[in-house]
Amino acid sequence: MLKRLLPLCAAALLASVGPVWAAGELTYVVNNESAAYDPGTTAETFATPIIGNAFEGLVKYASDGAVVPALAESWTISDDGLTYTFKLRADAKWSDGKPVTAGDFVYAWKRVLTPASGAKNSQMLYGIVGAEEFYADQSKDNVAVSATDDHTLSFTLKQRVPYMLQLLGYSTFYPVREDIVAADPDGWTRKPDTYIGTGPFRVTAMNFGESIVLEKNPEYYNAANVSLDKLTFRLIPDPATALAAYEAGDVDGVEAVPAPEIPRLASEENNGFLVVPALGTTYAFFNPHQKPLDDVRVRKALSMAIDREEIVEFVLQSADIPAMALVPPGMNVAGEDFRDGSDTFGLAPTAEVDAAKALLAEAGYPDGAGFPETVYVTYSSPPIEKLLEAIQQMWKKNLNIDVKIQASEWQVFYPEVQKVEYQIAQMGWGADYPHPMTFLDNFVTGSANNLANWSNADYDKLIADAKATNDEKQSLSDMRAAEALIMNDAVILPQYHRNQYMMMKPYVKGFWRSPLNVPYFDAVTIEK
């Protein structure tokens, strides 16, 4: 197995040696294109490179993971931990030069709490007094968020949220402009002239299917320290083609490399290969409302019958981690990693074949006999399709069942999965903020990201209790108990916890990519 590389050191990335020349232009390859670049409403990881460089919120993450000021220059928190007051910086402006106001945040947050907006992460704001009630009934506008003046934003929580500042660094909390959105609610994010942001770069061209081009935003409060003049996100769906472009010198960076190339790239010197720790888990949803997945024994058998170690070592050929649960390692609460000492829920790195066969037989399918036609849907991606083919073969070998794989483009696949009419659907989740709740909150009843439409009252209560308590150890216990309910009911098929494997030319200095999967270019300079 490929030796797991040390986590990428932000300090090493940010180090600059030798003369620094004008940064000029940089081209970075992405493998997928999003259909939704609205910071307030999207939950798509594929949108983060654009949103993360064209927008900022009150706060942002530094390369060491710390929360630091962004559009807000300072803030205070009341003694009871409930009321937050932010002072916006005087030079906070939109990319068209208009001032950013506290009222922009009030509008943006209430928009997220409006069902008609289609926001996927509305529940992230439910900790604010009156927010959940407003979402349920738009006539009850008692949301405790207000603009005292153009530069002062205040909001009050129902109970303490220890990770509130971390939440505020996520795009759901970014401001959007009411005049822009109201003029074209469905199309404003699809045109450079109306994609008005607050970040270090502004979008100047949207060539869908090819590239999205950004340029330095002269209205950005820290524009004096942004060196890149032009940043092009080039779409190349096939990682092998992207790597070839990189090695030919046609592009400066690629967000992902083909799994079979990882051992070679890791062994070469000074080629720009980077391993970036990621707070992410790749898994599939089992639909508990569709036969034969409506039987928990079938779901458990399918999960137990795959060899996760083989997937990582021979299929992915990576330093990823076999996953036996939802929440990845690296999430710390009360001084403990969430994963330390937790259960594996009957799963193991290798296949538990005998136990899986026994469960399938109990469910009425001895040695796979009579197993109904089952379709495993996925988005088109060569590495993911290769992964699913391996799982398909494991199910055939270990359980003697045939499962069909059906792939479609993301823009077709995702809306269909949201209807929850599939049997098995390939998905996964990357953390929106560095806390276990970013994974667990998705499975509460009614969450827009609960793509199995699974509901469990005990689970909902545990999540509510975990949020309400001021005792971090009790919160950790509640969250672990909640995850156990998901895993013991086999709602998902966990596959692996992810790292990001990418390339960036050694002459690019100051680039960093967060564990939340956002590539940052505001500090980039180029030496060559």
Side-chain angles (χ1 to χ4, degrees):
M1 184 175 181
L2 174 68
K3 183 178 179 181
R4 180 170 169 79
L5 300 181
L6 292 175
L8 189 63
C9 175
L13 274 180
L14 295 172
S16 178
V17 179
V20 177
W21 301 84
E25 303 181 3
L26 186 146
T27 299
Y28 181 79
V29 173
V30 294
N31 303 127
N32 295 278
E33 183 176 80
S34 177
Y37 292 109
D38 186 326
T41 63
T42 190
E44 289 191 18
T45 302
F46 302 148
T48 58
I50 308 302
I51 294 173
N53 287 280
F55 279 86
E56 279 187 2
L58 295 167
V59 299
K60 62 183 179 182
Y61 296 108
S63 57
D64 63 359
V67 174
V68 297
L71 296 179
E73 64 180 8
S74 64
W75 57 86
T76 58
I77 305 172
S78 62
D79 291 341
D80 61 7
L82 299 180
T83 299
Y84 287 65
T85 302
F86 288 82
K87 289 290 183 181
L88 302 189
R89 57 176 74 241
D91 54 353
K93 294 180 181 179
W94 293 94
S95 54
D96 64 356
K98 292 188 177 180
V100 176
T101 70
D104 292 328
F105 285 91
V106 175
Y107 163 74
W109 294 7
K110 287 188 176 180
R111 174 174 173 259
V112 170
L113 292 169
T114 302
S117 73
K120 301 298 186 294
N121 285 313
S122 302
Q123 75 277 2
M124 291 175 77
L125 280 79
Y126 283 1
I128 299 174
V129 170
E132 188 170 4
E133 292 80 2
F134 179 58
Y135 185 85
D137 183 349
Q138 295 287 284
S139 69
K140 297 179 178 178
D141 188 357
N142 295 310
V143 184
V145 56
S146 62
T148 307
D149 55 49
D150 282 350
H151 292 93
T152 308
L153 178 75
S154 181
F155 64 88
T156 300
L157 302 175
K158 292 184 286 189
Q159 64 264 330
R160 286 177 185 263
V161 178
Y163 49 91
M164 191 68 224
L165 287 174
Q166 295 168 314
L167 275 176
L168 292 173
Y170 185 60
S171 66
T172 297
F173 292 88
Y174 290 177
V176 294
R177 276 258 296 280
E178 184 173 9
D179 59 325
I180 297 292
V181 177
D184 190 2
D186 298 321
W188 73 276
T189 66
R190 309 288 291 178
K191 296 175 289 187
D193 289 347
T194 55
Y195 197 64
I196 306 300
T198 56
F201 299 93
R202 61 182 182 184
V203 173
T204 56
M206 289 181 159
N207 309 305
F208 291 107
E210 298 178 7
S211 64
I212 293 182
V213 182
L214 296 83
E215 294 180 358
K216 177 178 175 177
N217 174 14
E219 304 294 344
Y220 181 57
Y221 62 86
N222 197 31
N225 292 313
V226 176
S227 295
L228 271 186
D229 300 311
K230 184 177 180 180
L231 172 61
T232 300
F233 290 98
R234 180 176 167 189
L235 176 66
I236 302 180
D238 180 18
T241 304
L243 180 60
Y246 177 87
E247 294 187 321
D250 296 333
V251 301
D252 303 292
V254 297
E255 72 170 0
V257 298
E261 296 290 342
I262 291 175
R264 172 180 72 84
L265 295 170
S267 68
E268 295 176 354
E269 296 290 333
N270 301 317
N271 62 356
F273 177 65
L274 302 175
V275 179
V276 185
L279 299 175
T281 304
T282 296
Y283 56 82
F285 279 108
F286 289 132
N287 187 344
H289 314 290
Q290 292 272 352
K291 289 186 177 298
L293 288 312
D294 57 344
D295 190 322
V296 68
R297 294 170 296 186
V298 170
R299 301 195 297 270
K300 287 184 176 181
L302 292 175
S303 192
M304 296 170 73
I306 70 170
D307 190 322
R308 293 162 175 83
E309 203 166 82
E310 182 177 325
I311 285 171
V312 168
E313 187 168 353
F314 297 108
V315 181
L316 302 177
Q317 294 182 284
S318 70
D320 294 322
I321 304 168
M324 276 75 74
L326 171 65
V327 178
M331 299 280 200
N332 291 302
V333 178
E336 291 184 51
D337 190 299
F338 185 89
R339 285 266 61 85
D340 287 349
S342 60
D343 197 355
T344 57
F345 313 107
L347 304 179
T350 55
E352 298 286 291
V353 179
D354 291 340
K357 281 184 174 180
L359 277 173
L360 200 65
E362 281 182 31
Y365 310 109
D367 197 31
F371 196 78
E373 179 177 320
T374 301
V375 179
Y376 191 159
V377 298
T378 183
Y379 52 94
S380 298
S381 165
I384 292 297
E385 289 173 61
K386 183 180 178 183
L387 164 67
L388 265 60
E389 287 167 4
I391 291 174
Q392 180 187 49
Q393 292 166 10
M394 291 173 184
W395 284 339
K396 179 63 176 177
K397 176 185 175 183
N398 296 334
L399 297 177
N400 195 32
I401 61 173
D402 295 297
V403 175
K404 180 181 177 183
I405 298 171
Q406 180 179 299
S408 56
E409 293 302 315
W410 177 263
Q411 288 85 350
V412 175
F413 164 79
Y414 189 58
E416 287 300 311
V417 171
Q418 288 178 300
K419 296 177 183 176
V420 198
E421 294 175 354
Y422 63 84
Q423 290 170 295
I424 309 172
Q426 182 69 12
M427 284 295 292
W429 191 259
D432 295 330
Y433 50 97
H435 190 278
M437 198 60 76
T438 188
F439 287 86
L440 299 170
D441 223 8
N442 291 336
F443 290 84
V444 298
T445 301
S447 167
N449 297 312
N450 186 347
L451 297 179
N453 198 21
W454 178 75
S455 181
N456 183 302
D458 291 335
Y459 181 87
D460 294 346
K461 184 178 187 304
L462 282 166
I463 293 300
D465 290 348
K467 292 177 179 179
T469 182
N470 294 331
D471 183 338
E472 278 204 324
K473 288 191 178 295
Q474 183 59 50
S475 181
L476 176 62
S477 175
D478 288 339
M479 288 188 291
R480 283 175 169 166
E483 184 194 53
L485 290 176
I486 295 173
M487 297 310 304
N488 288 327
D489 205 19
V491 184
I492 63 169
L493 170 69
Q495 296 158 1
Y496 57 94
H497 301 304
R498 304 191 291 259
N499 285 316
Q500 305 291 347
Y501 306 91
M502 62 169 292
M503 308 294 291
M504 185 61 73
K505 293 292 185 182
Y507 56 72
V508 176
K509 305 298 179 181
F511 169 82
W512 67 285
R513 185 172 175 179
S514 78
L516 305 179
N517 201 35
V518 182
Y520 290 101
F521 297 89
D522 57 312
V524 162
T525 55
I526 293 179
E527 299 175 14
K528 64 176 179 178

